[in-house]
Amino acid sequence: MHSQILCSGTAAAVAARRMRHILGGVLGRDGWMWRTHEVKFLNTSSGDTVTIGEISYKLKAPQNPELVPVKHISDSLPQTVAQHLRWIMQKDLLGQDVFLIGPPGPLRRSIAMQYLELTKREVEYVALSRDTTETDLKQRREIRSGTAFYIDQCAVRAATQGRVLVLEGLEKAERNVLPVLNNLLENREMQLEDGRFLMSAERYDKLLQEHTKEELDSWKIVRVSEDFRVIALGLPVPKYKGNPLDPPLRSRFQARDIYYLPFKDQLELLYTAGPNIGAERVSQLLSLATTLCSQESSNLGLPDFPVDNLLPALHILNAFPMLSSQQLVQRLYPYHSILGKDGRNAFEGVLSRFELLDGRRQPAPSAILNVSPAKDLEGHADVTLRVADKDVTCQVPAGTKDLRPPNSSPTFINTASHLQLMAEMMQSHMAKDICLIGAKGCGKSVIAKEFAEMLGYGIEPVMLYQDMTARDLLQQRYTLPNGDTAWRPSPLVTAAIEGKLLLLDGIHRVNLGTLAVLSRSIFPIHPSFRVLALAEPPVVGASTSSSSSSSKGQQWLGPELLTMFLYHTVTPLAKAEEMGLIQGLCPNVPPEASEQLLRLTHSLRKMNDPTAQSLASSLSTRQLLRICCRLSQHPDESIAHAVNKACLSRFLPSLARASLEKNLANCSIEDKPDPAEHTREYPCMVKDGVLTIGNVSAPVYNPSEKMKVPDVLFYDNPQHMKVMEDMLKDFLLGEHLLLVGNQGVGKNKIVDRFLHLLNRPREYLQLHRDTTVQTLTLQPSVRDGIITYEDSPLVKAVKHGHILVIDEADKAPTNVTCILKSLVESGEMILADGRRIISAKGRPNAIVMHPDFRMLVLANRPGFPFLGNDFFGALGDIFSCHAVDNPKPEAELEMLKQYGPDVPDATLQKLVAAFGELRSMADQGTITYPYSTREVVNIVKHLQKFPNEGLANVVRNVFDFDSYNKDMREVLIEALHKHGIPIGAKPSSVKLAKELPLPEVKMTGYWTVNQGGNARRKLLCPTETHPIDIKGPVFLRVQGYPCGRQESRALNFSEEKAHWQIPMNEVNIICDVTTKDDVLYVATCNPVSLYSMKERGDTINCMELYDVFPRTISGVWQPFVTVAPLGNPLDGQVVLHEEQVVIITLNVCVGFCLQGGGHKMCRDFSHKNWLLFYKEDGNQLEVLDVLEGRVHSISLPINLKSVFLVAEDRWLLLENNTNKKFLLTKPMHMAAEDSGVCQLHSISEDSASSGHGVSTPQMLSCEQLPNENLSAALNQKIVSPNRVLADTGCYARVVVGFPDLMSPNEVYSFNRPVDLSEVKSESGAHTFFRVGLRANIAKRDNCVSLLSANQVVRALPPSKVPLKTVYPKDVTPPMTAAYLEVTDLNSKKLKYIPVPRSMTVSPYTSWLSKVSESDVLIAALGSGGVVTVDMGGYVRLWETGMDTLQRSLMEWRNMIGGEGGKPVQITIQRSSGLDVTSPKHGKIDPLNAPHIGGNQWAGGTGGRDTAGLGGKGGPYRLDAGHKVFQVSQVEKDAVPEEVRRAAREMAEKAFKERLKEIDMSEYDAATYERFSNAVRRQVQSLRIILDSLQAKGKERQWLKNQALGELDDAKIIDGLTGEKTIYKRRGEQDPEPGSPQQKPKRLRVLADVSGSMYRFNGVDGRLERSMEAVCMVMEALESYEHKFKYDIVGHSGDGYDIELVSANKVPKNNKQRLKVLRIFLFPSSKGEFFCSFLLSLSVWLKGIQRKLVAFLCFSFQVLHLTL
């Protein structure tokens, strides 16, 4: 008898003793004690026997020796392993099945295989995964010669042949799959699908004693061998991820804990593997590994250290003893990638404890010097590495191709970091497979390709995706030409057989259970075979579920994967390296451009801010190369534009966009706006076979399939042409394009137009939620029992060089669309039928990609409300991205004009403005739906086709979607009303002011200009000229504010056209308003500021004049400013006059002073660039010529009261004391040499009756009435010079002949019944905040003449308006700021239009009373009508002319439409088949019943010969009054008033009952509603976002391997064979095994309840805003308790944690919420004004200590969200 003893020695006793003290507490008291067992082989005459200790097993000769494991037993067998083998042998002899449980790693499998090798047992091995089904374990159907039959699978084969079934990865299998083995494990019985029944050997043998074998065979009973055993291998759950064992299954196994080998045994193995390494260093490494596998390490959340990888690591260390231990550990355990900050600190603490923190002391390999074939070993290469100053040569596996020397690739730019990385990869390649971890676009694929070519490897790329199964990784099923089913090896198996480098791209995407098959199933068949995996960095703290969003990442790197690879991190390149890379690949890029670009990128990468990191990920090395290649071809292109394009800044959140703009500015990258951008023409033409778009040209394609070239209706507009120009630039560079934008912005039209211009054929592919990887590439079908594959549009485009347009790319899961990455990057893709797409010839069964193939991908922008996937976040890096936005207003208007050439421009402008407003609201999050150009185009098409339908009705085609959402409907209606679309208005809703009769016109006197020689009557006035003394300039800043212009004719038609608020301070005072053309100027005087705006503009420009008027700071001086706009060539400049100082202003100010103070300015001819100044009770006129910079001083013999410029060369002067009138005539152009030529003529006023006295004009027009208006006013045909005058005693006067005729000028008057000066101003309800202070004489008369409309308009206080005449007795006049008195001389009518009162008025009431008698100022508009500005800064535009009002009313009614006005009749035209005989009236039905057809009755419809409607041959139409079919809007609105009243009463009753139910008074309800209503829309927006998040989180997934549902394309062949579980269906996806429990987000609201909030609330409303914000949070989170758990805490001087709302007791109704809000109204009083700021710090620190998920801090009215 010969025996062989395998046992371990004790060479590590010294290290064991040293470690016993360190790790004794971890391993326990018995951790260092073991008994010795010997394994003996005994050869006897009765057969071979294996003995382990005292247990012996008699060997049997295997029937299939190839199924017996070999080469698993080592010469030195550790005692721990021998103990495990002895235990397994015991259970084997007892006939029991075993379960080996332990941490991840190959040890469990190795022990099982060692036992089977020892006992020479045949093995059936199954690697379980989540895709394992019953057919994989029992029987699978196959087709042979047209017949389907069953083939036994592993479990059945093992049971019948007496083999050992090894089941690995039980925790990976889905629940309810493994119980199919329960009966086989317990009783050794199983019913098979083919009708056979497996029976235990004992029962079978008993039956065999009573029956023959033939009988048992006929009964289909099969004997289970007594040698059948099951060895299960699994991980302990729940420590590791996976499904826990089903109790019935667990009870059938005997368990054995297979932990890591004891320290001593491990040390023995490691000493053997690394003879060149010091024992101390090996001991340190093992000590580290053992510590990280302890329970204490697990409690800290640290993954287990891959102890089994220490052996290959020491092979590396043995060849490179100088290698840093820390660098080696980083490859085994990439802690920088998988641990957070605390975890990294803890890990480095352990490294320091064991003296392994030597990364900085030891050099790393710096480069690969040489690669040559190994002379002594085939399939290997000798690689020389430079490490520090030494050259070290080692042998590594090599491929079957020729080796390539390092640094010889023309396309790979060497950098120091990449050379070092590849040298380190070469070291790892000696011993184990490699995984490269790096961010998107950092060069992982390029490095892998260079590494493979250097070692002569052929690359077998496999793009991994989330739904990939274990079968997809290993084999593919297909059918032979005769219909038989067969199996084809996958690329993975092919690579293993042929010795290639398997490139697994995207292991972070694939499910762990699928990927774990690699560690169990791949045996290196070819010695050169290696695996190189690529992955993106794991996200620390993220979900471990593979179903989580790929754009957010996941923590995919766990203990199991750590054992499979050695890990290398591809770090971002240093700035100098990246610069060298760019200059090497893009040599023509401008150096300054690349420098700016890299400065920006690296500044973003260095920031710890997540927002900056997200931006930096969009600027990967790949993207930077793309930008630089484009800049090298187009050096004039803006860098900012390229960066914004790469980051899709248009669709970034506001915070991220602001961060990007700030960093661009910091790096001196400015996007200089092109002033001609909106007007620039982008030529688009095809000439001589060349397409030119803008400045870019490309040859037109000559396709063979012209029918696939798209042709689309497209109207050119500059914005879309700019996008196409950018697309053409990238297209010519060979890029694949990605267009991202909202819905309906024209992405498809742009692409189709682009391809039409290029004449390129298109293949179209639309993605959706159910798109799979298979349907994206091939469409399988069955023909005559054979599986055939129909090429998808993608494959067709690749074959023929067409353009593949992929639409709705964001709707497909990103784990499906990610397979496009390999196609775009390397031009390779594996198809389901075994073919592959390659970029160049050289492989059989391949499709060579056509060089003209391109992809144009369309996707909606990421984020809410688009519920698609973030395609840009997942794959945007591999495309050239273009943001497509809605056209700018000008471009959109031009485009709409082409769609609707007959639609009025005003209608189109309203549509463009309204939809622009809605889009900006969508960007701000106020509304959720981003209204697009598509909706506007559809509206315009409708209006073009049906012009008589009102705009207000047609827009409902778009907005009726939101008609049932109350809040949304209100927002939309408000936005539409703001821009003048009267949705919801009725044609009868006209509320024009009541017209009163105007007194008859009377000729009341004469004005005679005296021409006699009397010196008193005709005086010469000397003139002096001197230059003005200019001070300045002063540079002023012009600040723009958005103009919230609101059209006033929304629900009602009135004289008011539009209104908006000037952004001014509450204490400021309006002191003047004037207009020029369509520009309005408003001056304020506390402080002095100037506002300018256009009538239809969207911006208000403000110029604050602090530096010009410093005295206003003191508060004593009360300035009074007048504005005068200048004319050509000084358009856009104004003169400000403050009674003492004249300022000429635009963006810079110059000024000069007049002698003395109290000057007044006449600005009637400011458009001629001259102004007149005079001083009351003075005797001098100052004429300022702005262009010449001179002042002409005219001396007068009289003292002035006022001056009126009745013409450019004739001025009316009033003497101060006598009110005597004089006419001053002067030359048209006054110059210095013309002094002494001004003449002064006295005017005699003669009354025609006693009623006419001397009048003091308030207004005198400087131009004359048109002749037709003059004739209409005086009721006589007359042509004469004239002027319109107004004073307190009349509505208007017309002076006929003045000032040109020297003959007596007739004065015609419309006298008032009572002089306005005699009417006292009353204080009361109509004087808002004035307390009756009207003692001062107002400086503004507020009276203007509208000569074209023949009207005089003045603003009167309510006390001077005959309200009893204007309003009926039972109507209370409204609260108004003033009334516009409109005197219409054409119609002889008088109207009083109420001006709504201002919401705020300055408290300086006495100052206000000096400005104006009423609370408004008035000015005439250049477009007709007037503008008023009230003292609160509210601007209103008014239309007063009768003709313009009539036209506007007609347009307004046309916009409303007539759908609800008249009945709609439905007429059906049909052919009766009867001939017309002779027309006749027909019989008259005495009952007047309706008749249809019949040729008999008069008044019928649809008949013949008789008089009626809708028929033929009748003599005339006759309507008998019968309704045909009526569908009327009136019916919808015609709800009886009593029904409406009942509905209101019911609602009020329900409301009161609800209040009673929660014990809330109506006063409390009103109080709460005040806060609730202020934030109602924000609450709605928040709830919509929360709903969408919930909807996306609950989106159903595909459940595969189902017995019913939709046919799974991947299982068509299984269906042919008769399998049952070939379907898939949508369902709720169970959480991944081991994934953390979904708990509500923890939220804390921190509110300031200090006394300062209460004290200063009256100043800025801080307390109310804070209360509204808290109310918003409470209402928005109501009913979301399962998602968010929140509490509210206040801080003040009394403390930092005043509990307002407890997390376990949140308010449920309005009363409880009001109770919370009331706490804010009771400020503390313990001197916390001093302490509150200091306590704020305590609040934050306490919040941090409690590890709150989020804070909502409301402090000083700012809502800070800190996550």
Side-chain angles (χ1 to χ4, degrees), residues 672-732:
K672 298 178 181 178
D674 184 359
E677 180 182 355
H678 298 302
T679 58
R680 179 185 168 190
E681 293 293 332
Y682 288 87
C684 178
M685 66 182 78
V686 176
K687 185 177 181 181
D688 299 329
V690 176
L691 166 67
T692 300
I693 302 178
N695 299 322
V696 186
S697 298
V700 174
Y701 196 68
N702 186 19
S704 57
E705 298 184 56
K706 294 186 177 181
M707 75 289 298
K708 290 192 174 183
V709 177
D711 191 5
V712 64
L713 175 66
F714 187 89
Y715 294 119
D716 292 347
N717 68 78
Q719 191 167 331
H720 286 168
M721 298 310 298
K722 178 73 169 65
V723 172
M724 282 197 280
E725 183 188 34
D726 283 346
M727 289 170 60
L728 189 57
K729 290 178 182 178
D730 290 329
F731 192 85
L732 292 175

Side-chain angles (χ1 to χ4, degrees), residues 24 54 95 164 201 258 354 361 626 656 659-660 693 707 773 827 913 921 1077 1127 1147 1219 1318 1320 1431 1511 1587:
E54 73 281 8
V164 177
I258 308 295
F354 294 111
R361 298 195 301 268
R626 182 179 292 120
S659 176
L660 178 61
I693 302 178
M707 75 289 298
V773 173
M921 292 169 70
D1077 300 328
N1147 287 338
N1219 283 341
E1318 298 176 6
K1320 294 183 179 179
M1431 290 304 167
D1587 284 335

Side-chain angles (χ1 to χ4, degrees), residues 1589-1610:
L1589 292 175
Q1590 189 171 9
K1592 194 167 183 180
K1594 288 190 174 182
E1595 186 173 355
R1596 299 189 302 162
Q1597 307 291 325
W1598 279 119
L1599 305 179
K1600 298 194 175 184
N1601 303 321
Q1602 303 294 306
L1604 51 89
E1606 298 181 30
L1607 181 64
D1608 190 346
D1609 290 341

Side-chain angles (χ1 to χ4, degrees), residues 1413-1485:
E1413 187 180 25
S1414 62
D1415 283 337
V1416 300
L1417 296 178
I1418 187 172
L1421 284 172
S1423 58
V1426 296
V1427 57
T1428 61
V1429 183
D1430 63 30
M1431 290 304 167
Y1434 224 81
V1435 181
R1436 301 180 189 273
L1437 306 182
W1438 304 87
E1439 190 174 33
T1440 57
M1442 298 301 292
D1443 294 338
T1444 57
L1445 274 176
Q1446 289 294 337
R1447 284 196 301 271
S1448 299
L1449 178 59
M1450 184 175 65
E1451 293 172 0
W1452 184 77
R1453 283 178 169 159
N1454 288 339
M1455 278 198 292
I1456 295 176
E1459 181 182 325
K1462 58 182 180 180
V1464 176
Q1465 180 170 301
I1466 299 177
T1467 304
I1468 302 175
Q1469 297 184 354
R1470 61 184 178 87
S1471 175
S1472 63
L1474 301 174
D1475 293 332
V1476 176
T1477 55
S1478 60
K1480 55 187 178 183
H1481 180 77
K1483 296 181 182 179
I1484 298 176
D1485 188 346

Side-chain angles (χ1 to χ4, degrees), residues 1582 1641-1649 1665-1677 1684-1691 1696-1703 1706 1716-1717 1720 1739-1740 1743 1746 1748-1755 1758-1762:
L1582 270 177
K1641 292 284 189 296
R1642 188 72 174 86
L1643 203 67
R1644 165 159 289 188
V1645 180
L1646 181 62
D1648 188 347
V1649 294
R1665 287 201 288 270
S1666 184
M1667 294 169 71
E1668 290 167 0
V1670 172
C1671 179
M1672 176 189 70
V1673 173
M1674 292 190 292
E1675 287 195 0
L1677 294 179
F1684 298 94
K1685 196 171 185 180
Y1686 75 95
D1687 60 357
I1688 302 178
V1689 174
H1691 74 90
Y1696 59 81
D1697 56 353
I1698 304 169
E1699 186 178 82
L1700 305 181
V1701 173
S1702 169
V1706 297
V1716 175
L1717 296 179
F1720 286 76
V1739 173
W1740 286 103
R1746 295 179 184 180
L1748 297 176
V1749 172
F1751 278 85
L1752 282 177
C1753 175
F1754 303 93
S1755 183
V1758 182
L1759 177 63
H1760 297 285
L1761 181 62
T1762 307

Side-chain angles (χ1 to χ4, degrees), residues 60-109:
K60 297 180 181 179
Q63 299 294 322
N64 300 283
E66 70 276 7
L67 297 180
V68 178
V70 294
K71 296 184 179 180
H72 285 277
I73 300 179
S74 62
D75 294 334
S76 177
L77 195 65
Q79 271 300 306
T80 306
V81 175
Q83 292 175 12
H84 293 322
L85 293 176
R86 175 179 174 275
W87 178 86
I88 296 174
M89 183 175 286
Q90 288 177 326
K91 298 303 171 185
D92 189 10
L93 293 173
L94 290 172
Q96 294 175 341
D97 301 322
V98 301
F99 193 114
L100 304 183
I101 189 170
L107 182 59
R108 288 167 292 118
R109 182 171 65 252

Side-chain angles (χ1 to χ4, degrees), residues 81 279 478 511 546 623 638-639 661 724 862 962 1125 1268 1285 1347 1470 1486 1505 1529 1558 1589 1600 1665:
V81 175
Y478 70 107
N511 184 270
S546 60
Q623 195 67 270
S638 164
I639 302 175
E661 291 172 355
M724 282 197 280
D962 306 296
E1268 58 273 16
L1285 178 146
L1347 302 180
R1470 61 184 178 87
D1505 296 339
Q1529 181 66 32
I1558 62 175
L1589 292 175
K1600 298 194 175 184
R1665 287 201 288 270

